């Protein structure tokens, strides 16, 4: 594996971390941030560029970060939701106007409870009555904050206000714009929350999260299918159990949904593999099941995961330009 892949991937990882940090600053104290909407739009452009140039590399980053830590949960969750919404918007042929409302809504839907959301990800005790009430009121309070920030896009404001509403089942194409965006964002919000760990529970595997989404929620069928189609049951950055007893990380989508590019990182005895074993096409073990990060019995070598991230990146020249000049790509 060429060393430059690792170097470029480290730059990409740094940009992703910077993006989350910048969003965290905006969401933590939004009323004291000059030019809030402009800065949020710049974050949107960075995210679009990263995903558009190499969706698999972006997914590897998203799933690795979302499943591995509870630190900075609120901004990380918002970035994952916005990234998945961006990918879904293309898959379901959402209009550009609705897409340009959906992503800011995903980034700001929890703006009134950023500090609390970070606290809850680390909290081991039951919710207090005050916390319960804050969570209950956060969609309305988030809209009020956005209005104070001079956001004038009514669809954005209403999508944030209603993003937890459960709507009657109907095809997306038959819905009004607000109902369509609420359904997409609500489903993605729950999906992203399911895969992320808390101190009180482990994150779930992607496959299990999709199954939970489906339970008693017919309205999620269409979006769930889109998630399966574009993200997959074995997305880059997630872990799988192999039929040879090893555990592998998914690097990129393969030619078929059940045969992604993988590299074994834990051997059949539960020991870390260094260097990881990259399985070539046509010689890959069969995947038995998806695994949650929390089910792994040991901490994986960070150098190994960076090298494997470098492979998911593959030295993409266009993506490297985005890393060096974030938000600079033409629309």
């Amino acid at each position: 594996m060429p060393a430059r892949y690792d170097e470029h991937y480290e730059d990409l990882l740094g940009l992703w971390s910077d993006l989350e940090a910048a969003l965290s600053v905006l969401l933590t104290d939004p009323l004291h941030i000059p030019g809030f909407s402009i800065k949020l739009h710049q974050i949107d452009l960075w995210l679009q560029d990263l995903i558009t140039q190499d969706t698999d590399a972006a997914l590897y980053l998203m799933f690795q970060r979302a499943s591995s830590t509870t630190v900075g949960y609120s901004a990380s969750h918002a970035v994952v939701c916005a990234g998945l919404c961006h990918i879904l918007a293309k898959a379901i042929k959402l209009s550009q106007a609705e897409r340009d409302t959906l992503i800011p809504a995903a980034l700001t839907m929890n703006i009134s409870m950023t500090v609390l959301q970070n606290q809850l990800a680390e909290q081991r005790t039951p919710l207090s009555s005050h916390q319960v009430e804050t969570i209950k009121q956060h969609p309305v309070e988030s809209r009020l904050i956005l209005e104070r920030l001079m956001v004038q896009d009514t669809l954005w404001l209403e999508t944030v206000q209603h993003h937890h509403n459960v709507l009657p089942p109907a095809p997306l194409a038959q819905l009004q714009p607000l109902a369509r965006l609420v359904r997409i964002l609500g489903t993605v919000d729950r999906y992203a929350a399911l895969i992320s760990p808390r101190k009180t529970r482990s994150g779930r595997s992607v496959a299990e999260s999709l199954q939970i989404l489906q339970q008693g929620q017919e309205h999620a069928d269409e979006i769930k299918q889109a998630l399966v189609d574009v993200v997959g049951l074995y997305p880059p950055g997630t872990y799988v159990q192999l039929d040879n007893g090893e555990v592998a990380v998914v690097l990129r989508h393969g030619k078929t949904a059940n045969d992604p590019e993988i590299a074994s990182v834990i051997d059949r005895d539960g020991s870390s593999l260094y260097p990881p074993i990259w399985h070539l096409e046509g010689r890959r073990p069969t995947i038995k099941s998806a695994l949650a990060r929390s089910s792994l019995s040991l901490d994986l070598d960070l150098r190994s995961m960076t090298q494997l991230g470098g492979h998911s990146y593959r030295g993409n020249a266009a993506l490297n330009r985005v890393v060096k000049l974030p938000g600079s790509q033409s629309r």
Side-chain angles (χ1 to χ4, degrees):
M1 187 183 304
R4 68 176 184 276
Y5 284 16
D6 303 349
E7 295 167 2
H8 289 172
Y9 179 73
E10 288 174 0
D11 288 341
L12 176 61
L13 181 60
L15 176 57
W16 201 274
S17 299
D18 290 346
L19 187 153
E20 286 188 5
L23 181 61
S24 180
V25 170
L26 289 185
L27 298 180
T28 300
D29 196 13
L31 297 175
H32 293 91
I33 302 294
F36 175 89
S37 294
I38 294 173
K39 290 180 172 68
L40 189 75
H41 180 62
Q42 186 66 35
I43 288 172
D44 181 8
L45 291 180
W46 291 2
L47 187 60
Q48 284 188 63
D49 288 345
L50 291 170
I51 292 172
T52 300
Q53 297 299 338
D54 194 327
T55 300
D56 280 356
L59 287 171
Y60 184 94
L61 271 167
M62 279 197 286
F63 282 101
Q64 279 285 304
R65 292 176 66 84
S67 65
S68 62
T69 181
T70 57
V71 177
Y73 172 81
S74 189
S76 174
H77 177 74
V79 169
V80 170
C81 288
L84 291 175
C85 283
H86 177 74
I87 294 169
L88 284 175
K90 181 178 180 181
I92 63 179
K93 297 180 171 57
L94 200 66
S95 71
Q96 186 65 38
E98 290 185 20
R99 180 256 163 242
D100 288 345
T101 292
L102 177 62
I103 305 306
L107 292 171
T108 59
M109 61 184 167
N110 298 319
I111 195 171
S112 67
M113 56 175 280
T114 300
V115 174
L116 176 60
Q117 201 172 29
N118 287 335
Q119 177 185 336
L120 294 178
E122 301 287 332
Q123 182 172 311
R124 298 180 184 274
T125 57
L127 298 177
S128 68
S129 57
H130 176 70
Q131 289 173 332
V132 170
E133 186 62 23
T134 300
I135 293 170
K136 180 180 178 180
Q137 296 298 326
H138 87 269
V140 172
E141 293 298 323
S142 292
R143 174 178 180 154
L144 293 175
I145 289 176
L146 291 171
E147 288 177 339
R148 291 179 64 186
L149 290 166
M150 307 304 292
V151 171
Q152 298 179 347
D153 183 340
T154 302
L155 185 56
W156 174 358
L157 296 171
E158 292 184 344
T159 301
V160 167
Q161 180 178 347
H162 299 291
H163 73 272
H164 282 308
N165 288 13
V166 177
L167 305 175
L172 286 177
Q174 295 179 12
L175 298 175
Q176 294 299 311
L178 175 59
R180 185 161 44 245
L181 297 192
V182 165
R183 181 163 296 165
I184 296 168
L185 184 54
T187 303
V188 168
D189 183 23
R190 189 169 183 222
Y191 172 80
L194 286 169
I195 65 173
S196 301
R198 309 283 196 285
K199 291 301 183 184
T200 54
R201 68 157 176 82
S202 302
R204 295 173 170 87
S205 73
V206 168
E208 184 183 3
S209 298
L210 288 169
Q211 290 172 356
I212 292 172
L213 279 181
Q214 181 65 16
Q215 293 172 2
Q217 294 194 34
E218 294 181 12
H219 68 271
D221 285 357
E222 198 172 346
I223 304 167
K224 176 193 171 184
Q225 186 57 52
L227 280 168
V228 171
D229 291 343
V230 300
V231 178
L233 292 174
Y234 311 120
T238 62
Y239 298 91
V240 291
Q241 181 70 57
L242 304 180
D243 65 352
N244 65 2
E246 296 173 351
V247 171
V249 65
V250 179
L251 303 177
R252 299 184 68 86
H253 287 102
K255 293 181 179 179
T256 66
N258 293 323
D259 188 33
E261 296 185 25
I262 56 175
S264 291
V265 291
I266 298 176
D267 66 21
R268 67 186 63 195
D269 297 319
S271 300
S272 179
L273 285 169
Y274 187 80
I277 301 173
W278 177 35
H279 298 286
L280 300 176
E281 183 179 1
R283 298 168 58 186
R284 296 174 188 143
T286 300
I287 294 174
K288 290 181 60 178
S289 63
L291 294 174
R293 173 65 180 85
S294 56
S295 69
L296 305 188
S297 58
L298 75 166
D299 292 328
L300 296 172
D301 180 74
L302 293 178
R303 183 183 177 192
S304 296
M305 302 316 293
T306 298
Q307 288 178 333
L308 292 172
H311 179 73
S312 76
Y313 178 98
R314 285 190 169 171
N316 184 312
L319 182 56
N320 192 52
R321 287 194 294 272
V322 172
V323 172
K324 299 302 182 185
L325 299 169
S328 65
Q329 298 299 298
S330 61
R331 297 286 122 233

